[in-house]
Each structure stands twice: as structure tokens, then as C-alpha cells.
Amino acid sequence: MSKKISLTRYLIEQQRKQGNIPPELRLLLEVVARACKRISQSVSKGALGDVMGSAESENVQGEIQKKLDIIANEVLIEANEWGGHLAAMASEEMDAIYVVPNRYPKGEYLLLFDPLDGSSNIDVNVSIGTIFSVLRMPEDDRGVDEGDFLQPGHRQVAAGYCVYGPQTTLALTVGDGVAMFTLDREQGSFVLTQEDVKIPRDTREFAINMSNMRHWDAPVRRYIDECLAGVEGPREKDFNMRWIASMVADVHRIMTRGGVFLYPWDKREPNKPGKLRLMYEANPMAWLIEQAGGAASDGHQRILDITPSSLHQRVSVILGAKNEVERIDQYHREHPAAN
Ligand code: P6P
């Protein structure tokens, strides 16, 4: 790409073309990008920055928080609360929503995020990332509460992630395809490095945690067994497997070279529909994947059509190459569901 196009220029030109990035939304996305830059700086310090290891506390999910989980959450809250573009925020790291304090003006958007996804990888220097989703406040004059967040994913007005790996790369959609921006550390700004990202409909690469195989339901077991059977099996081709255990990194690989990702329901905790969270992991990733020509389902329905019942609800996630997701959905229709 010859000339360097900044995130701000991209957003302004996108607004001229499509009219889908009003100034308040542009401000929100620029603030989130700046927050991701700061998180990237903290992440990259590693042991030099006293940011490694556990924070000796648990989040609402009952998971031990890493120091960087808390740092990333605070960076996003502090960056976004004063700008006047948000009414409230919701985070994987906070039980309740965070309503913008009355000392600041309130805006029309709701921001949801997993501030540092994949944090179990922090201490072993494997890619992690921030996932974010933007909704519009329902139009009524009462105050904001958790119920305002419980909108299906197809109502998102923006979604993205920032992966902190060998490069720090921001992937973003506002409903007109997916663009990627790489952090130019010398300039200190995100530069457009890919537009109109597209995922191939077919793939030879799947991502799933194979150690859970004995706990899977029949449709997932059938799909993976057929992949493993390779060229001699019903798929008549060999497959490769990847599992980074960092959704942002696994999804970024799929956005970059294709593939299919599964974190399905399993028998370990049968009352939970899955491990991943709908509002701030599955929904933003599902929209990005669909905007890149892929598909995202829970095995039974489009993830973006799920009407949430609670802020931190979990969901089974199957996303990526359209033909593979459709095949897995078909297997769920053919096999009586255990969940
Ligand atoms: P497992 C990270 O904790 C995460 O929420 C996702 O980023 C990732 O895909 C998944 O959990 C990994 O889970 O059970 O393989 O460690």
C-alpha cells in the first residue's frame, strides 16, 4: 500500500462514502484505538513492567484475573468515560455495567469489551488481544441500565479487535466490510494495511481444543473425526489444526488465511451453552467474520440473531469458512441435540 492512510482518515472517508460513521462514533473508535495502543505498550513491557502474573483476584466469571486484565480494563474505562460519546460500558472484567459518571456528558453509544482476551497466554508471551463491540442506546428518555445492552448482535454499529502479537493490528467493521490497521510504532498511529478482508468459503484448517474431544456432542465429534480422516475419509482432503487458546489470535489467523474455529458446548458443564461470552466475544467476532464473507453460528442459529438474556451469558461458537460452518450446522440438524 503506497500512501499511509491513518485510522482517522479512513473513518472520515468512510463517512463520506457510506454515512455510517457520524462524528461521535468516529470519536469513540479513535478513543478505543488509542486505548489499544496504550494496552499494547503495557503488554509489550512484560516482566520489565511489573505487569505479569496474577492480580490475586477473580472476575465475574470466577476466573483468576491477571494484572494486565485489570490494567487493560482501567485503560479502556478511563479513555472512554469523559468524551461524551458513551452512555455506559460493559466489560468481561466487571460484574455490573459502568454508567458514565454524571460529571461527564452522556452520549448515545454503549461500548462492550473483553479488555484482554486470552490472558492465560500473557505469561508465556503468546498473542492476546482486546475485543470490542458498539451498540446504540435504545431511544427513550429513561436512564441507562443493563437491559439497554441486551440487544442482538445484528444491532451492532461497530465491532473490532486489536491483536497484540508480533504486530499490533486493529481489525474493524462498521458494516461495510472489514479493514485492518497496523500500529506504526515510530508514528504512534494505526495505518491502514488491508481493506475489504475476505475469508475463503472452504478451508483445510480447523481450530478447536482437542483435549475436550470426549466431552463433545455428536455433530462436533462427527465433523472433527471427518477432518482427521483426511484424504481417505469422506472429506477426501487432509486438514491441519491450530489452537492458540486466544480467540483474538485464532480469529485473526482465520481473517488472514481462512479456517474454521469451534468452541462448542460440551458435557463438562452441561448447563452452560458454551465457554465464550456472547456480548463481548462472540457477537463482535461474528459480525467481523460475516462482514468478511464467513459465517458464525452456535450450531443451531446465527450468533448475531441471538437475543441476549444476560450481560455475561455464554454461547457455543462455530465461525469462519462459510461452507464449513454450514456443514457443521447441517450435522447439528441431523443429530438430536444433547444441549
Ligand atoms: P481453553 C481465553 O481464555 C478464551 O476465553 C478464548 O480467548 C479462547 O479461545 C478460549 O478461552 C480458550 O479456552 O479451554 O482452550 O483454554
Side-chain angles (χ1 to χ4, degrees):
M1 193 158 283
S2 56
K3 58 182 180 290
K4 287 191 172 184
I5 294 178
S6 69
L7 174 64
T8 296
R9 176 172 170 181
Y10 171 84
L11 295 174
I12 288 170
E13 292 179 344
Q14 182 69 25
Q15 166 63 5
R16 282 190 200 130
K17 271 192 311 186
Q18 300 289 336
N20 55 353
I21 311 183
E24 288 299 287
L25 179 59
R26 175 161 58 82
L27 171 64
L28 165 53
L29 295 173
E30 289 170 334
V31 167
V32 169
R34 269 197 300 279
C36 290
K37 218 169 24 176
R38 282 187 53 196
I39 295 168
S40 175
Q41 287 161 348
S42 296
V43 165
S44 63
K45 285 180 185 161
L48 299 176
D50 185 29
V51 295
M52 306 289 269
S54 165
E56 313 297 329
S57 56
E58 276 191 5
N59 64 15
V60 62
Q61 328 288 342
E63 295 164 338
I64 296 293
Q65 290 176 302
K66 300 285 190 181
K67 287 179 188 170
L68 270 171
D69 282 323
I70 294 173
I71 292 167
N73 193 63
E74 288 169 356
V75 165
L76 282 158
I77 296 284
E78 290 165 13
N80 280 287
E81 65 177 348
W82 52 268
H85 47 279
L86 287 179
M89 295 177 246
S91 166
E92 181 194 56
E93 300 304 329
M94 302 185 301
D95 185 8
I97 64 169
Y98 180 88
V99 178
V100 168
N102 290 330
R103 63 182 178 278
Y104 301 124
K106 284 189 177 51
E108 63 178 301
Y109 294 107
L110 301 172
L111 177 65
L112 303 93
F113 46 83
D114 179 355
L116 206 57
D117 175 69
S119 49
S120 60
N121 286 307
I122 292 172
D123 298 342
V124 295
N125 199 14
V126 168
S127 298
I128 50 184
T130 298
I131 310 171
F132 62 91
S133 169
V134 182
L135 294 167
R136 191 171 273 109
M137 261 293 281
E139 289 181 12
D140 55 37
D141 56 2
R142 57 177 180 74
V144 55
D145 62 24
E146 182 173 310
D148 295 312
F149 284 82
L150 303 184
Q151 303 177 41
H154 62 72
R155 291 221 195 113
Q156 293 173 98
V157 293
Y161 62 76
C162 193
V163 54
Y164 311 117
Q167 306 99 42
T168 288
T169 300
L170 177 74
L172 174 68
T173 186
V174 291
D176 183 33
V178 177
M180 290 198 183
F181 304 82
T182 301
L183 181 61
D184 178 339
R185 293 191 187 279
E186 288 152 17
Q187 297 289 326
S189 58
F190 282 101
V191 174
L192 181 67
T193 43
Q194 194 175 350
E195 276 192 281
D196 199 22
V197 174
K198 283 288 175 263
I199 301 171
R201 294 177 68 94
D202 298 300
T203 186
R204 291 171 178 264
E205 191 161 73
F206 66 87
I208 194 167
N209 183 335
M210 292 294 286
S211 69
N212 300 326
M213 179 177 267
R214 66 188 183 283
H215 305 302
W216 297 335
D217 199 3
V220 171
R221 185 68 190 261
R222 173 183 173 189
Y223 176 75
I224 298 297
D225 283 346
E226 290 179 355
C227 290
L228 295 174
V231 68
E232 295 85 20
R235 301 300 308 274
E236 298 180 323
K237 61 181 179 180
D238 291 334
F239 280 75
N240 189 32
M241 192 216 91
R242 285 285 181 276
W243 188 250
I244 306 175
S246 171
M247 186 187 198
V248 174
D250 279 315
V251 169
H252 187 68
R253 185 190 58 254
I254 291 168
M255 295 292 277
T256 307
R257 72 182 193 207
V260 62
F261 170 100
L262 301 89
Y263 208 114
W265 170 91
D266 68 46
K267 299 169 187 144
R268 288 176 295 168
E269 296 186 273
N271 298 327
K272 282 184 182 174
K275 173 178 184 181
L276 302 178
R277 291 79 173 182
L278 174 63
M279 297 302 296
Y280 39 78
E281 289 178 332
N283 273 343
M285 291 308 203
W287 198 28
L288 285 160
I289 290 284
E290 286 197 1
Q291 283 290 310
S297 103
D298 68 354
H300 306 285
Q301 62 185 312
R302 186 175 172 237
I303 282 178
L304 295 181
D305 289 337
I306 298 173
T307 298
S309 52
S310 67
L311 192 60
H312 299 290
Q313 80 180 62
R314 297 170 189 265
V315 67
S316 181
V317 177
I318 299 155
L319 59 76
K322 199 177 182 75
N323 291 345
E324 297 302 311
V325 175
E326 288 174 354
R327 172 185 290 267
I328 299 164
D329 286 354
Q330 177 57 29
Y331 291 0
H332 279 80
R333 286 190 288 272
E334 292 172 9
H335 297 259
N339 61 317

